[in-house]
Amino acid sequence: MTCDVQWTAHGEAALDALEAAVRSARAAGPLAPVTVVTPSPSVAVATRRALARRTGGTAGVGFHSLGAVAEQLAAVRLAAAGLGAGIDRELVVTAVRVALGERPGRFAPI
């Protein structure tokens, strides 16, 4: 699995870059799995629709918000800690704040 991060202007430039990235990721086959991460669920829906209009379909391409991806990645550790089921948003927000307070990385200026 590889991760390709690209920063672009929004609008047509972003859709052009996304279409090219999906085509590149699918070089192995037309149904190769691709995950697109967006800032919010509504952007995921809009992006999926826009890409489908341009390419004729998005089979095998998953569109997820950054929050949803973070939850999926954390699920195994949370389950191991006995926190897997029924976690509320406030607990997640608090955990993110604590983690960023300890190691802010590129979020330090915010």
Side-chain angles (χ1 to χ4, degrees), residues 54-75:
R54 286 171 154 242
T55 63
T58 57
V61 182
F63 294 83
H64 308 282
S65 69
L66 182 57
V69 171
E71 288 176 8
Q72 290 173 357
L73 292 174

Side-chain angles (χ1 to χ4, degrees), residues 20-109:
V22 169
R23 287 188 194 285
S24 174
R26 290 186 154 182
L31 295 178
V34 177
T35 300
V36 176
V37 180
T38 65
S40 70
S42 59
V43 173
V45 171
T47 304
R48 183 186 72 233
R49 290 176 180 168
L51 187 63
R53 280 192 300 274
R54 286 171 154 242
T55 63
T58 57
V61 182
F63 294 83
H64 308 282
S65 69
L66 182 57
V69 171
E71 288 176 8
Q72 290 173 357
L73 292 174
V76 172
R77 285 189 177 177
L78 292 172
L83 300 170
I87 277 191
D88 66 32
R89 282 270 192 229
E90 192 58 35
L91 181 59
V92 173
V93 168
T94 301
V96 168
R97 285 187 181 143
V98 168
L100 287 175
E102 292 172 359
R103 297 176 81 186
R106 72 184 322 173
F107 296 104

